[in-house]
Amino acid sequence: MDIKICLIISSKVSVCKCMNYQWCPKGHTLQLFKAMGENISFWESLVYGHPICYNWKQEAEGSIYHLASIFFVFGCMGGSGFVGLLYVYIFFALSFLCTCIWAWLDVCAADVFSWNFIILSICIIQIIHLAYQLRSVTFDKEFQEVYNSVFQPLGISLTVFRKIISYCNAEVVNLEREHCYAVQGKTPIDKLSMLVSGRIRVTVDGEFLHYIFPLQFLDSPEWDSLRPSEEGLFQVTLTAETKCRYITWRRKKLYLLFAKHRFISRLFSMLIRGDIAEKLYALNEKVFVDSGVRFDIRLPNYYHMTLSDDSHPTTPIIRVQNFSARRHVTNRP
């Protein structure tokens, strides 16, 4: 036997569809009765298992409900990053707070109030967590200078820089004038340092190579020449020409940090290789052959091809100019 759905419209009954439910008139309401002994599917219960709204509410909800909707729309406009997430969760928290008030005062529904209160609590926890992440981080003057000049232009956040400083126990070290940071063939390569102030002279067998200026690594070639499991000694001597201050990280702790955070590993790899390139170009400006031709360390065979055998029967001597009078400090953004 088919049981029909009947809709009451202006006290008239019209048959709409033959289903397993029947709408029975009782005044101006719709009541749903399940057919005895009949089974229905899950989707049919979702679509047809609820009465159709006949009498829409004419008056609007209170201002608190609309204010909650406005806050929710503002929250959906948040951006990315810690600040964007903080913006999103603040407006979501305000939205669910208004919804809790609306459910408690207007709807008087305990379940609606409970769910919105739970979501409000989650938003508040997220706000506290993000605010802790974005709390004011204070560094020493040297660390702040390094961050502003090197890391901040690359888009590195303070939270990432704090990991680089705190996890590796980075420290600021003073180096007096004519004191050595490293001695050729004696000092082990067990750290990575960046010069903050002063100037370091690099020599090999007593011969001057180049200077190291502020915001450059002291031992980037040595760092790049070794694998994490290898050990080695400095092949050059680094001497302070003036009173210097530098930041130093322990090599093993840095490698542990790189293993945990691949992004920081790629960041240091880029910084170290860029620093090595600067040192190579500094050497390239100071090297020339006896004939006065500037020697390019990237293309050493080119000059042997350009020198004739008659005028230069022997191998030309390569000399290094000493630009001790030059005072050139690279200004970084």
Side-chain angles (χ1 to χ4, degrees):
M1 180 180 67
D2 292 332
I3 300 176
K4 301 175 180 175
I5 294 178
C6 304
L7 300 178
I8 308 301
I9 302 176
S10 300
S11 302
K12 294 181 180 180
V13 179
S14 59
V15 178
C16 297
K17 190 175 181 181
C18 294
M19 292 295 294
N20 293 329
Y21 286 96
Q22 179 179 8
W23 295 93
C24 300
K26 183 180 180 182
H28 291 286
T29 61
L30 300 176
Q31 295 180 343
L32 181 64
F33 294 94
K34 184 178 179 181
M36 298 298 296
E38 295 288 340
N39 294 324
I40 62 173
S41 66
F42 173 74
W43 295 108
E44 288 177 343
S45 65
L46 290 179
V47 177
Y48 304 106
H50 302 279
I52 299 176
C53 294
Y54 172 66
N55 290 326
W56 288 89
K57 190 176 181 181
Q58 299 298 322
E59 64 276 7
E61 293 292 340
S63 59
I64 297 179
Y65 175 81
H66 295 288
L67 183 62
S69 301
I70 293 173
F71 282 145
F72 191 84
V73 171
F74 285 159
C76 294
M77 297 179 182
S80 59
F82 285 105
V83 177
L85 288 176
L86 188 62
Y87 171 90
V88 169
Y89 281 112
I90 286 177
F91 276 100
F92 278 180
L94 293 174
S95 174
F96 289 113
L97 175 62
C98 293
T99 309
C100 287
I101 297 174
W102 169 75
W104 185 267
L105 298 179
D106 294 346
V107 182
C108 298
D111 54 346
V112 178
F113 172 82
S114 300
W115 278 112
N116 283 277
F117 183 79
I118 291 173
I119 301 175
L120 172 63
S121 303
I122 295 174
C123 291
I124 292 175
I125 294 173
Q126 289 289 343
I127 291 172
I128 295 174
H129 175 71
L130 292 171
Y132 175 79
Q133 294 291 326
L134 290 174
R135 74 189 189 280
S136 178
V137 181
T138 57
F139 298 109
D140 293 338
K141 178 182 177 181
E142 290 78 8
F143 292 127
Q144 192 66 43
E145 181 180 352
V146 169
Y147 174 75
N148 294 336
S149 302
V150 179
F151 291 90
Q152 190 177 27
L154 298 176
I156 306 304
S157 64
L158 282 172
T159 55
V160 175
F161 185 69
R162 184 173 66 244
K163 291 179 182 178
I164 297 173
I165 296 300
S166 60
Y167 188 87
C168 301
N169 296 331
E171 55 182 350
V172 180
V173 181
N174 295 321
L175 188 63
E176 298 297 330
R177 187 174 182 271
E178 295 303 327
H179 286 204
C180 292
Y181 171 81
V183 178
Q184 180 180 353
K186 294 182 179 180
T187 305
I189 304 171
D190 58 354
K191 55 188 175 182
L192 179 67
S193 303
M194 176 179 287
L195 188 64
V196 178
S197 62
R199 187 176 63 182
I200 299 290
R201 181 177 68 253
V202 182
T203 58
V204 55
D205 295 330
E207 295 291 334
F208 171 78
L209 289 180
H210 62 87
Y211 286 116
I212 297 177
F213 297 103
L215 303 181
Q216 290 183 335
F217 287 103
L218 297 179
D219 37 19
S220 54
E222 288 76 14
W223 174 277
D224 195 61
S225 64
L226 296 179
R227 295 180 180 179
S229 58
E230 296 178 342
E231 297 181 356
L233 300 176
F234 275 83
Q235 301 302 311
V236 293
T237 299
L238 280 69
T239 309
E241 276 213 342
T242 62
K243 185 177 180 179
C244 300
R245 293 174 66 85
Y246 61 89
I247 298 175
T248 183
W249 293 271
R250 290 297 171 184
R251 185 167 177 261
K252 291 183 178 180
K253 290 189 175 182
L254 263 181
Y255 276 123
L256 290 176
L257 179 66
F258 294 165
K260 293 181 62 178
H261 304 279
R262 299 300 300 273
F263 168 73
I264 298 178
S265 175
R266 292 192 294 268
L267 171 66
F268 268 83
S269 178
M270 180 192 68
L271 292 175
I272 290 172
R273 291 173 183 176
D275 187 80
I276 294 174
E278 290 183 6
K279 290 180 171 61
L280 289 176
Y281 277 109
L283 281 175
N284 190 66
E285 292 180 356
K286 300 173 178 61
V287 180
F288 67 101
V289 294
D290 281 348
S291 62
V293 180
R294 185 172 297 278
F295 185 86
D296 193 330
I297 60 175
R298 298 166 298 174
L299 303 171
N301 293 330
Y302 171 77
Y303 297 96
H304 291 279
M305 295 172 59
T306 57
L307 295 175
S308 62
D309 295 335
D310 296 337
S311 58
H312 296 279
T314 59
T315 303
I317 300 175
I318 300 175
R319 302 185 185 277
V320 179
Q321 294 180 350
N322 189 342
F323 288 82
S324 58
R326 178 182 295 181
R327 301 293 186 268
H328 175 70
V329 178
T330 304
N331 293 325
R332 297 174 183 256

